[in-house]
Amino acid sequence: MKITVNGRSHDVDAPAEMPLLWVLRDELQITGVKYGCGIAQCGACTVHVDGEAVRSCQLAIGDLEGDVTTIEGLGTPDALHFIQEAWIEHQVAQCGYCQSGQMMQAASLLSENPAPSDEDIDDAMSGNLCRCGTYPRIRAAVKSAAAKLEL
Ligand code: FES
Ligand code: FES
């Protein structure tokens, strides 16, 4: 089947039931997306499908409808996405393992709600776990990114 990831079309030879996560990581070597739990409980595997945050561990490739964006496609090294800039500004990452999923979730939140309250942020981000406990910095970075959207 053909799938589009980060603006590039790929021919993928994989069983229809294979989760998108494994297609991205193992077939396409797009490894910014991470495996955490495999059961929709951690958010490490979050990518966008047509701009909406989805858990790629739970989406069978045969059910994919839409274009996929991963952290590699959110910005470029020369032109970071404003979420990535905010993450750097607030030095959010510790080990970093969860952070691509966190940023993809946050980008999706801000595309739907450009001025989220603390409660909105906590609600939207509650499914993305961080074992390093970076939650206060994540919230600060999301607020900082939202403030830039207002400019
Ligand atoms: S690996 Fe998909 S939610 Fe944890
Ligand atoms: S930064 Fe280590 S798990 Fe989140």
Side-chain angles (χ1 to χ4, degrees):
M1 61 195 80
K2 268 198 189 313
I3 70 170
T4 301
V5 184
N6 300 332
R8 281 189 56 198
S9 180
H10 299 269
D11 289 311
V12 172
D13 182 12
E17 64 273 18
M18 180 181 278
L20 174 61
L21 173 61
W22 299 124
V23 172
L24 292 171
R25 288 187 57 84
D26 291 352
E27 303 293 324
L28 301 179
Q29 282 74 53
I30 296 173
T31 55
V33 59
K34 302 301 184 196
Y35 169 72
C37 65
I39 53 170
Q41 295 296 307
C42 75
C45 66
T46 304
V47 299
H48 293 178
V49 176
D50 285 347
E52 188 175 331
V54 301
R55 303 295 189 245
S56 63
C57 70
Q58 295 300 298
L59 178 59
I61 190 69
D63 293 332
L64 174 65
E65 290 181 4
D67 291 352
V68 178
T69 305
T70 70
I71 190 68
E72 291 90 342
L74 196 62
T76 68
D78 294 331
L80 293 178
H81 187 277
F82 64 92
I83 283 284
Q84 294 167 315
E85 289 176 342
W87 249 243
I88 292 169
E89 180 188 339
H90 289 272
Q91 292 290 290
V92 174
Q94 292 282 302
C95 78
Y97 197 83
C98 73
Q99 297 295 337
S100 62
Q102 304 278 6
M103 284 186 272
M104 298 309 284
Q105 186 71 34
S108 176
L109 162 65
L110 291 182
S111 71
E112 291 166 12
N113 178 1
S117 64
D118 285 354
E119 191 178 32
D120 293 337
I121 295 171
D122 292 346
D123 278 354
M125 302 304 295
S126 64
N128 287 74
L129 304 185
C130 175
R131 287 199 288 182
C132 300
T134 62
Y135 303 112
R137 291 191 218 176
I138 288 171
R139 187 200 272 180
V142 172
K143 287 169 83 90
S144 171
K148 282 185 188 147
L149 277 179
E150 286 179 4
L151 297 177

